[in-house]
Amino acid sequence: MMKRPLVLVGFCYLLTLAAAVYFGPELSLVLACASLAGFLITALAPKTRAVGVFPAALLAVTLAFGSFYAVHQSQVEPAELLAGRDAVIDGTVCELPYQAYNRFYYIVEVNDISLKDAPRPLKIRISSQGALNVEPYSHIQGKVHLFLPSGGEGYSSRSYYASKGITLFSYLYEYESVRVSPPARKPPYYYALKLRSALLKSVRSMLPPSEARLVNGVLFGDQTSLSPQVTADFRAIGVSHILSVSGLHMTTMAELILMLLLFFRVPKKPAAALAGVGVVCFMAVTCFVPSVTRSGVMCLIYLSGMLLSRHPDSLNSLSISVLLIGWSNPYAAADVGLLLSFSATLGLILFSGQTAGYLNRKYDKIKKIGPLVRGVNGILGTTVWAVLFTLPIVILSFQSVSLAAPVANLLELVPSTLMMNFAAIAAVINLIAPQSFLAMPFALVSGLLAKYMLACAHWLAQTPFASVSASYGFVTLWLSGTLLLTAATVLMMKSRKLFRVTALLSLILLLTGIFSYQLSMRNVTRLAVLDGAGSVVLTRNGRAAVIGCGGFRSETIGSYLRSQGVTGLDVLQPLTLTAEEAKNAAELMNAFTPDRLVIQKDGMIDTFIRKAVPQTGSVAPYDLSADTKLWKNTQVQTRFDGTASAARITCGGVSVLVCPAGANLDGLPEKWLASDFVAADSVPKNADLFHPLFTIFSADGETMGGNVSQIKKLSPIVTGGAGNIVLQIKDDGTLQLRRE
């Protein structure tokens, strides 16, 4: 019989849901039927039934695939069919409103909708240009246009929002009647959201803006106010999990509450019960995101063990938590944060304690520095196994690998834990007694720790190859080889020394891949049309130029540059005069200090640009045209039409015409219109004037405009949320086109 049946069932259920998200609903139905047949066969066969492993695993797989398909068919697909339509809705705001990219966003549960075929329940995200006077559980009545989040099946923005129950986006027709009414009811969650809002304001009132945003992001998971630069830095060095409330945060809060209660001499069992209440409150304040719910359930099981004088099994606790989450929400596995939290926790349970114990026995020999050595060993044990167990998910989800992650976790993990403790105490004291001197010492320490974390993250992110793109073939090969080596080591292990050999072989594989890739890319110019960014990035031998800075945020461009090992720019050239592009350009100037800024002279009026100009080596303003030479055989020519600039890039005999939104093609030379490729984020005006080999759209099929027949004539390649389109051009004109 199985020793831990819950572990088998829980792990199989979560991993199957992850596979269902990846494969999609149709294939999930086929796999559910296949696993059901397997369950019946193994349940009827005496030998397999006696063991119990195969029937239990196959039953869990069947239920997971089946539940995913059922939820998709009953809730997700009917909602998706409403995309592209207008509707009058009456809904209840069910989360705190937030602001991003100069718009305001509201998560709304729809009570009534003018479309008869709309499913129930239905949750949507509404955006508006102006702020609405609402609070949690206020009612909104108005006309909206419904559309789908970007991406399709698999791990995309659409699946991520489905994991939160949000199946549709919408924007409000603000010129029509919009009615807002106060809450008709105030359930317990209303007070949790009001407490969250009050705590966020409490932190902001005590700390400078940059430190307050980091504290709120780490402590409460409020990432909406974090700057793109901070988010990019933390992701580049492999510590973005610190910004997502998960097991680390929940454990820190539970231990803090328990420690304070025991400090004030509350008996152990009542303290455990009160700590359990605190855990539930923290889960509510952080909006019950799946990663928090997983860790919260584990904490509650642990505290229940204290109440019952039992020591709970960690693996059983982990499996119970993910089973409850997956059973209640089959789309929960689309939240990468849950998968990262689960895999990191699994690594810690299985190996971190053993690793720390081994290091303590080997190196903890000097009594005076013993506590320091044990502390470092504990961090090493936690960091190594958390990084290793989350690595496959990071590579497959974010298409990047952070080489700085081990060092970054050592430098950031302890300060983040201390910062959370001090900030939580300061926020609560300040909430109870505003402007009290009692909160100031705790706020001061948390602010200093936040300042250190920001500076450390930015410094590490600027180091060459802090992160590398995992879209390269050698990274996938290295990951596959490492997994095979590890599996073989586990199967044939007779000595722990085999693990050392495996680690050494894995390192050799990685270094060989990096070296061979760098060698193959020597003197090759890469022209990348970034997915959803309205930008073309040129790189060659570690040098780079950015042509166009469109899109909602500069983080997309910055992340790509860092993945190529770029820490500085040769040239930065915005192409439009929009406020969004100016803001993105200024952020890139501050982060990558370009040698030269090429900009239309009217663009220098923008405040963001003027403030960032000291970060550049030189400025080359132009009136109607500009000609920029790059490296050995690359040239960028620009023409301004009064609204936007079109740019023609030539490299190795290959020409690419870059057409930002609003650019006019009428006055362009015939040679430009005969370019080999066109890069655009929407169908250009007068697109019939040219016939390129391919037109690369940095958009999805629903937002790039134009009619179907016109788009087909342009031989489109659409990024569509599936990755960047890259042209690799050698000096002899040899061209390779690929998606990354």
Side-chain angles (χ1 to χ4, degrees), residues 24 191 228 253 258 285-286 302 324 351 355 415 521 581 604 644 657 688 697 704 711 719-720:
Y191 297 100
M253 288 299 103
L258 198 59
V285 166
T286 51
Y302 173 79
L324 290 174
F351 297 112
T355 302
M521 294 304 297
E581 182 150 4
M604 293 298 297
L657 179 61
D688 294 334
F697 288 104
M704 64 188 188
I711 293 172
T719 59

Side-chain angles (χ1 to χ4, degrees), residues 95-269:
E95 300 291 347
L96 287 177
Y98 65 94
Q99 182 182 6
Y101 313 124
N102 298 318
R103 294 188 68 85
F104 298 87
Y105 296 91
Y106 311 90
I107 309 301
V108 173
E109 287 183 356
V110 177
N111 304 320
D112 189 31
I113 186 169
S114 60
L115 302 176
K116 293 182 179 180
D117 50 348
R120 297 288 194 278
L122 178 63
K123 185 188 288 187
I124 65 176
R125 189 188 76 172
I126 298 177
S127 68
S128 66
Q129 202 144 19
L132 302 177
N133 185 23
V134 299
E135 61 175 324
Y137 290 88
S138 293
H139 283 266
I140 296 178
Q141 291 177 309
K143 184 178 180 180
V144 299
H145 177 76
L146 302 169
F147 62 97
L148 291 173
S150 61
E153 295 177 356
Y155 282 88
S156 64
S157 177
R158 192 177 303 176
S159 297
Y160 169 75
Y161 279 100
S163 73
K164 298 179 177 297
I166 302 168
T167 48
L168 286 168
F169 285 178
S170 67
Y171 57 80
L172 195 64
Y173 287 106
E174 298 174 68
Y175 57 84
E176 299 200 14
S177 175
V178 179
R179 294 180 57 190
V180 175
S181 54
R185 60 188 182 91
K186 295 181 179 180
Y189 191 49
Y190 166 86
Y191 297 100
L193 292 176
K194 295 295 284 185
L195 177 60
R196 174 183 173 85
S197 178
L199 289 170
L200 292 172
K201 290 179 181 177
S202 177
V203 171
R204 288 196 292 266
S205 69
M206 293 184 293
L207 296 175
S210 58
E211 286 84 354
R213 286 193 289 266
L214 180 65
V215 168
N216 281 333
V218 173
L219 185 56
F220 302 113
D222 177 33
Q223 298 189 36
T224 58
S225 60
L226 286 173
S227 71
Q229 183 65 55
V230 171
T231 304
D233 287 344
F234 275 69
R235 181 174 294 174
I237 64 174
V239 293
S240 56
H241 59 87
I242 292 177
L243 302 177
S244 300
V245 183
S246 58
L248 170 67
H249 306 70
M250 182 60 71
T251 303
T252 299
M253 288 299 103
E255 289 179 346
L256 176 62
I257 295 169
L258 198 59
M259 180 188 70
L260 290 174
L261 291 170
L262 293 175
F263 176 79
F264 288 107
R265 301 188 180 279
V266 177
K268 188 175 181 180
K269 289 188 176 182

Side-chain angles (χ1 to χ4, degrees), residues 22 67 69 85 185-186 189 207 227 229 264 270 311 374 379 411 542 595 676 699 706 725:
Y22 183 79
S67 63
Y69 178 79
R85 298 165 68 179
R185 60 188 182 91
K186 295 181 179 180
Y189 191 49
L207 296 175
S227 71
Q229 183 65 55
F264 288 107
H311 184 70
R374 288 191 294 273
I379 297 172
L411 296 176
D595 291 340
D676 301 316
I725 304 297

Side-chain angles (χ1 to χ4, degrees), residues 636-721:
V636 182
Q637 297 170 289
T638 310
R639 290 289 184 93
F640 181 68
D641 62 14
T643 303
S645 296
R648 184 174 187 261
I649 303 169
T650 55
C651 176
V654 178
S655 57
V656 180
L657 179 61
V658 183
C659 297
N664 190 353
L665 305 180
D666 287 340
L668 295 182
E670 193 66 33
K671 188 177 181 180
W672 286 37
L673 297 174
S675 296
D676 301 316
F677 296 87
V678 172
D681 50 10
S682 60
V683 177
K685 298 176 183 177
N686 301 327
D688 294 334
L689 293 175
F690 55 72
H691 300 281
L693 295 174
F694 294 102
T695 301
I696 304 171
F697 288 104
S698 175
D700 56 51
E702 297 178 4
T703 60
M704 64 188 188
N707 58 58
V708 175
S709 60
Q710 184 185 38
I711 293 172
K712 285 184 177 179
K713 290 180 182 178
L714 297 175
S715 302
I717 300 176
V718 183
T719 59

